Amino acid sequence: MRSLIPVENEDVLSAIRGFLSQLLKAEVVDSVLVPMRTPTGAVTPALVSDAAFLEHADPLAPVMGLNAAPLAGRVSVREPRERVGVLLRPCELRALRELVKLQQASLDDLVTIGVDCLGTYDVSVYSAMRDDGGVDVTAYLATATSGDLVAAAGFAFRDGCQICEKPHAEGANITLELFGADLESGIPITLPDDVAHKLGLGAVAADRARPQVIEKVVAARTESRDERFSEIRERLDREGVQGVLASCVRCHNCMTVCPVCYCKTCLFRSQVFEHEPIQYANWARRKGAYRLPSDTMLFHLTRLNHMVLSCIGCGLCSSGCPADLPVGAVFRVIGQETQELFEYEPGRDVEEPLPLITFKEEEWMDVGEE
């Protein structure tokens, strides 16, 4: 059913908080995983079971320090568990679907709540904006109505957001539809009929503006993506992966923040790469000079091999890189070619099998296999 969450005094945030509170009070869910504002002003996910605490919820804060999909996995992957509502941006929804395929999350007792993403800032940028007077939420939400998604003057969205061509929430159990909406009148929402009945929400007609605004946003983001990809491809052709990522210090930040990099025992966090001192000395004598830290390219190539088909483009690897390397763009460029080869789009459909664990008898016929 398509319905409308009432908005009073143009306070969209309070309306969303009220809706989440209703989900708890009507026992649609037992708790809600949602971004919360801390006393210091930082925004971080929290699992809320008491509706009174939702007065601190801030799902519209345009900041992204982590992808919440792994957190949704932690509260859902094993039993016993409660029924949890998880409010996620589109890239988080895509990551969650990949984690389900990798058996790192379960949708059985999750109620996914998707919300359109208008663009987010890195934590450091968002903190600077707060120090500079805060975020103009009214102006930020106005961009959803028009589809002209622009960052605040003097600031820039995260690199991953600038080239994200899928900013609209799709396939969630409940969807908060910001794009194209007249938010002063209410927040358009799609949800199951039985949930709408529990919450006392009636049906409304489809919004004709939404598809047009989404098309406009996608076109603009796709253009930005293609320009960025062209730049990265030129650099890769000229410098190779080893050149583009030459400043890597192997801090593992990109691996740590990646929502789909889930291995409990990681090769690169083992003693395999803790070489004996004499080994470094031997390498240095053999070559005349040996770069440290070692094995940086092996680290990235291994990550590419593991993640290239499941990279959902959140860009947090780039956001977390202390050397400001375009890790996310490199992964997306190579991922685009690999995903097209396998006709696979990560996070598109939880029922779509992962190519590397799916056997197709006719798969290699075009390269001469019989």
Side-chain angles (χ1 to χ4, degrees), residues 122-134 155:
D122 284 321
V123 173
S124 57
V125 174
Y126 185 71
S127 297
M129 295 177 74
R130 291 201 335 260
D131 295 341
D132 194 46
F155 300 95

Side-chain angles (χ1 to χ4, degrees), residues 302-361:
T302 302
R303 283 236 324 128
L304 269 169
N305 183 52
H306 285 183
M307 309 308 306
V308 72
L309 279 169
S310 287
C311 175
I312 47 82
C314 67
L316 284 171
C317 49
S318 294
S319 296
C321 180
D324 199 27
L325 297 174
V327 186
V330 170
F331 271 56
R332 283 213 60 196
V333 163
I334 298 174
Q336 184 186 55
E337 297 173 0
T338 309
Q339 290 159 18
E340 288 178 355
L341 180 66
F342 285 92
E343 298 180 346
Y344 181 76
E345 184 179 311
R348 174 170 51 191
D349 184 351
V350 74
E351 300 298 332
E352 188 174 6
L354 289 165
L356 292 185
I357 61 173
T358 305
F359 174 72
K360 295 181 180 179
E361 187 173 352

Side-chain angles (χ1 to χ4, degrees), residues 8 14 62 87 139 150 157 194 206 221 257 262 280 295 299 332:
E8 297 181 3
S14 290
L87 195 148
V150 293
F157 287 138
D194 61 328
R221 289 284 181 79
V257 298
Y262 71 90
Y280 293 112
D295 308 304
F299 168 70
R332 283 213 60 196

